[in-house]
Structure formats: structure tokens, C-alpha cells
Amino acid sequence: MSEYAKKVYEQVKAKNPGQPEFHQAVNEVLESLIPCLERHSIYKKNKILERIVEPERQVMFRVPWVDDNNEIQVNRGFRVQFNSAIGPYKGGLRFHPSVYLGIIKFLGFEQIYKNSLTGLPMGGAKGGSDFDPKGKSDNEVMRFCQSFMLELYRHVGPFKDVPAGDIGVGDREIGYMYGQYKKILNSTDGVLTGKGLEYGGSLIRPEATGYGAVYFAQEMLKTKGEEIKGKVATVSGSGNVAQYTVEKLNQLGAKAVTLSDSSGSIYDPDGITGKKFEFFLELKQLKRGRIKEYADEFNVEYRPNKRPWDIKCDLAFPSATQNEIEKQDAQNLVNNGVLSISEGANMPSTPEAVEIFLGSGIAFGPGKAANAGGVATSGLEMSQNSLRLSWTREEVDERLHQIMINIHKNAYEAAKVYGKPGNYVVGANIAGFLKVANAMIAQGYW
Ligand code: NDP
């Protein structure tokens, strides 16, 4: 690492103790910016790195709510508004017991570059809570969401900060939070994205992250003279991103053979297609069931506490959570002849795994590029809300597809210009960084 980047990284570690995920995200970005920092001294002169690693604002708050036994429960809420240089803060809300400030900061930091890469005017933010919606009744989830919004509403707004969903926050949670926001402010200003179609949501938003991850893989494969059709794919997770990754793979003639959740994975060598795919969607979206039930229903292999990465595949789509591909998993994928990794999840590969992927010459699409279709389509939802219009399914999908093609092109070209051809980690970070850094310089220091 260059002396400048190293110094900033050491400061980040010292000032943010006990936040390893945040350190990991900062380290990856700073390391990949080196060729750019060496070429342009203006960023060092303007102390851009020192400024960009420090959130503009961090809010932590108490979220009290009453459970179905009339007991008061208390969770912690977060919103980290990281960078607004190029537009209002934008980024999801995560509800999961593992959430603490370090997770929200890693996600918010990544979001800055991802949002910039989409080409849309959106700054970076992230939020959430250590609340676990799993096993809670709908009423409990509603009371929690209402209490969460009772504080969050002070910090958000259509020109200020527009949150969306993430792990544990789907259409049910967005609906309850939006209802509460409206009640408090008497305003239908569309402050959240991922809304239901009946009240301001966008077609294709639920599908966007998964579809986008497949479009990104398609672009990476093209550079190697390959196509999606006929390929075998491993997918992890079974939530929003995994569901629509599988759907798009089916549409394009590939075969997805795995799914997982935090208890284990399933392996269906014939592919998660047709009636089996419909069963899977209903299981997860309507019944909130576990992935083991798919194995029970179709008599395929269930692998308790195992991830899918030892299974032979051409394409891999990690779509569950951070650090779910470790060194040995990466080695297994490479040894089994994988052609591309398209990260639907945020930072699913550990630094050691990324090193193996980059060293092996396979196409590795990091999350901030490969899963940017979700936030891009959230941006399109904001545009439609402002226009008071709804675009058709085809229109939104076409825009999403074009955005993914552009993200790929920008990352691919930036990697080449800065001397690291084929390295999408360097390309995506530099392409995302330049726009934000230049906007920060233009606006003076603040
Ligand atoms: P969901 O809550 O819909 O699904 C999450 C899935 O990941 C579930 O199958 C869940 O299993 C599994 N999972 C969560 N935590 C763990 C864990 N610690 N170990 C193993 N499995 C786990 O979330 P999404 O599909 O929306 O998000 C998945 C990933 O994609 C996240 O990294 C998110 O940040 C990223 N992402 C999402 C976007 C979106 O638009 N939704 C946009 C961009 C990125 P279980 O039910 O057992 O917890």
C-alpha cells in the first residue's frame, strides 16, 4: 500500500476499534485506489481519503417496542449517512441480530462507490437494527417498524436520505415503515424505496439485484467469449437476491443447482426450475419457510451447515451475506473450473478469497459493481415518484440492463487505464471514487 493510503488506513483502525468489517472494506478500497492516487496528487492534497473514510453523520438510537406477551423489548437503531457529495444519501436498512455499528459502516462505505458507479445522483448511506424479524408475528414486526420510524423520520427525506431494504427488510417491513412515516409527516413524498406497487413502488425493483448480478456476469463472460446459456450455477442464500438470480438464470438458459440459508444448503443437480422454482418462491415469500423444506419436498440433498462452494459449477453467485466465501471455498471453486463470480451479496468473499480469485484469472465481479442493480432501480423508483409516473416492466428492465452494461464497461475500462486489466475490484473502486472525489473537491471542504 502507498504511504498515504497506509497512513489513512492505520488512522481508521485506531479511531474505529472493534469494527473489523469496516476495516476490511476500507482496506480493500484504499489498496485498489493506489494507481489512481499515484497518478493524481490532487486527492492527497485535498485530503480526500481522510475525509471519505469519516461518515458525514452517524445516528444511533433506542427502539422500544412491545411484543405479543405485552413485554417491552429494546433494540438499537442505526443510520450512517456516509457521503452526500453526488446526491441525497441512499442505502438499505438491515434488520439482523448481527447488526452493530461496524457492519453498518462497512455497508455504508461500500455504498458510496456503488451508488456512484450506477451513474445516478445518489450519495452513500446504510442503516438498520439488531432486531431479528425471524420468528416474530406480523404485529410484532409492525410495532417494531413503527417505533424505528418514530426516530428515523427526523433524519430522512426525499432530498436528504432515501433508505431501502436489505437483509431482513422486505416489502412487509418497508410497508410498515412507510405507513408510519406518512402518519407522522402527513406526506407521501416517497421517502423509502422498495415500496409496494400499489403505493409508489417500481416494477422490477424486487427483481433488480438478482437480475443485475446475472447481467453483470453476462458482461464479464462476453469478455472471455462465453455466454450464460448452458452454464451450471451455484447460488447461496434464499432471500430476495437469490430468488431473482435464479429466475434470471432460468430465463437465460442456465441451470442453478444450489440455494442456502443460515442452517444449510440444498443441492438439486437437475436445476431449480419450473414447478420447483415456483415452490421455492412461495416457500420463501409467502410462508417464510426454511430451505430444508425444498429438499424434503423434492427429495434432493440437504447439507446441514454447509455452503455451496464445494459443488462443481461454471458460475457462482454468492447472495447471502458478508464473508461467506473463505479461502478454502475460493480454492474449491477455482479447482472445480469456475469461470466467473458475481457477488450479489455485499463483501461475501474474504480478502484471502478475493486474492485467490484475482490470482487465478477468473472473472471476479465485486459486490459494489455486480449487485448495484438493486440501488440503481431504487434510483429509478425515486425518478418515477418525482415524475408521478410508473414505467412498464419492460422499460425498467431495459434501463436496469443498460445500467449494468455501463457499470461493467466503466469498471473494465478504469482497470485497463490504471494498469490492472481484468481486475474489476480496482476498476470498480477507481471508477466509483473519481466521481465522488471530484465532487468533494468542487464543493470545498465540509
Ligand atoms: P434477505 O433477508 O432477503 O435474504 C438473506 C439470505 O441470506 C437468507 O437466505 C438468509 O438466511 C441468508 N443469510 C443471512 N445471514 C446469513 C448468515 N450469517 N449466514 C448464512 N446465511 C445468511 O436479504 P437479501 O437477499 O436482500 O440480501 C442478501 C445479500 O445481498 C446481503 O449481503 C445484502 O446486503 C445484499 N444486497 C441486497 C440488495 C437488495 O436489493 N435486497 C441490494 C444489494 C446487495 P436466513 O433466513 O437463515 O437468515
Side-chain angles (χ1 to χ4, degrees):
M1 212 188 261
S2 76
E3 280 311 305
Y4 175 40
K6 204 163 166 182
K7 193 183 104 204
V8 173
Y9 179 57
E10 290 306 322
Q11 281 169 0
V12 165
K13 281 204 292 186
K15 276 187 163 179
N16 303 273
Q19 299 179 1
E21 298 86 356
F22 179 50
H23 303 168
Q24 184 181 334
V26 170
N27 188 37
E28 184 221 272
V29 170
L30 296 192
E31 244 181 21
S32 57
L33 290 179
I34 290 171
C36 166
L37 298 169
E38 281 171 353
R39 200 173 294 184
H40 314 288
S41 60
I42 189 170
Y43 302 120
K44 184 174 175 195
K45 183 163 164 266
N46 282 276
K47 295 217 162 31
I48 291 297
L49 293 191
E50 289 87 335
R51 287 157 62 191
I52 213 165
V53 297
E54 194 66 34
E56 288 172 16
R57 194 171 297 103
Q58 310 183 48
V59 189
M60 279 171 63
F61 50 96
R62 181 173 67 206
V63 189
W65 57 282
V66 176
D67 69 17
D68 287 346
N69 296 320
N70 268 333
E71 289 283 331
I72 297 172
Q73 302 289 341
V74 181
N75 286 97
R76 183 173 281 180
F78 302 87
R79 187 69 182 165
V80 174
Q81 298 176 327
F82 230 113
N83 195 298
S84 61
I86 63 168
Y89 306 107
K90 180 101 198 86
L93 297 170
R94 176 176 291 192
F95 292 169
H96 193 271
S98 63
V99 163
Y100 77 106
L101 189 58
I103 293 266
I104 299 298
K105 279 165 67 178
F106 118 62
L107 290 163
F109 187 69
E110 290 277 296
Q111 199 80 43
I112 303 171
Y113 311 95
K114 182 191 306 195
N115 292 2
S116 167
L117 272 174
T118 66
L120 299 172
M122 301 183 292
K126 201 81 188 187
S129 173
D130 57 1
F131 172 76
D132 188 359
K134 239 185 286 168
K136 304 285 190 306
S137 71
D138 285 351
N139 274 334
E140 287 177 322
V141 172
M142 180 175 72
R143 287 194 292 270
F144 172 82
C145 288
Q146 290 176 338
S147 182
F148 185 83
M149 187 50 90
L150 205 48
E151 173 61 34
L152 187 71
Y153 87 93
R154 299 172 211 281
H155 311 288
V156 296
F159 294 102
K160 206 190 275 180
D161 185 354
V162 184
D166 190 76
I167 291 180
V169 179
D171 50 358
R172 174 180 61 171
E173 291 75 16
I174 293 285
Y176 292 150
M177 284 190 275
Y178 187 62
Q180 177 76 334
Y181 177 84
K182 235 161 30 88
K183 175 87 183 155
I184 299 168
L185 286 183
N186 192 22
S187 166
T188 56
D189 58 31
V191 73
L192 294 161
T193 57
K195 298 186 289 297
L197 284 180
E198 306 82 358
Y199 57 94
S202 172
L203 285 158
I204 300 287
R205 175 62 190 90
E207 293 88 341
T209 308
Y211 279 19
V214 178
Y215 291 145
F216 197 83
Q218 198 172 28
E219 292 307 303
M220 291 195 295
L221 289 174
K222 273 188 204 160
T223 67
K224 296 186 174 289
E226 295 273 1
E227 57 172 8
I228 295 269
K229 197 166 173 212
K231 299 288 188 296
V232 172
T234 48
V235 179
S236 67
S238 48
N240 171 270
V241 179
Q243 291 159 20
Y244 292 103
T245 296
V246 174
E247 182 168 272
K248 185 50 78 180
L249 285 167
N250 285 338
Q251 287 171 6
L252 296 179
K255 188 166 73 171
V257 294
T258 64
L259 289 165
S260 70
D261 60 23
S262 51
S263 314
S265 54
I266 61 111
Y267 175 39
D268 182 349
D270 294 333
I272 301 149
T273 52
K275 289 263 178 292
K276 290 188 284 182
F277 177 68
E278 282 166 26
F279 172 90
F280 161 54
L281 275 197
E282 194 180 319
L283 173 71
K284 295 305 296 183
Q285 294 184 355
L286 300 180
K287 300 184 181 150
R288 297 182 190 276
R290 308 295 296 158
I291 204 58
K292 181 176 184 304
E293 295 168 55
Y294 179 100
D296 295 342
E297 178 75 16
F298 299 111
N299 203 17
V300 299
E301 188 186 346
Y302 178 65
R303 305 149 28 101
N305 300 316
K306 269 187 105 171
R307 300 162 182 164
W309 314 127
D310 56 321
I311 288 170
K312 186 170 166 52
C313 63
D314 306 305
L315 318 172
F317 292 90
S319 312
T321 194
Q322 64 274 0
N323 292 330
E324 56 166 313
I325 300 187
E326 293 176 281
K327 189 175 176 183
Q328 189 56 51
D329 301 315
Q331 200 58 62
N332 290 342
L333 282 160
V334 171
N335 291 348
N336 281 332
V338 75
L339 296 171
S340 82
I341 314 281
S342 187
E343 293 188 332
N346 283 308
M347 210 168 74
S349 311
T350 63
E352 297 76 26
V354 174
E355 210 178 305
I356 288 174
F357 292 143
L358 294 179
S360 70
I362 63 156
F364 173 68
K368 66 170 68 67
N371 71 35
V375 73
T377 309
S378 277
L380 300 180
E381 182 174 332
M382 290 165 73
S383 304
Q384 292 169 82
N385 290 167
S386 300
L387 290 166
R388 309 259 191 286
L389 281 176
S390 299
W391 296 329
T392 63
R393 215 184 143 75
E394 292 69 30
E395 208 170 342
V396 182
D397 195 19
E398 180 47 40
R399 284 177 197 260
L400 165 66
H401 195 172
Q402 196 51 54
I403 287 172
M404 296 313 297
I405 291 173
N406 290 345
I407 291 175
H408 175 272
K409 182 166 171 275
N410 291 340
Y412 186 79
E413 281 176 5
K416 211 156 54 175
V417 168
Y418 286 91
K420 301 275 179 185
N423 184 330
Y424 293 99
V425 177
V426 167
N429 282 327
I430 292 183
F433 170 80
L434 284 173
K435 186 168 148 193
V436 176
N438 292 338
M440 287 172 75
I441 293 171
Q443 292 168 41
Y445 57 86
W446 38 273

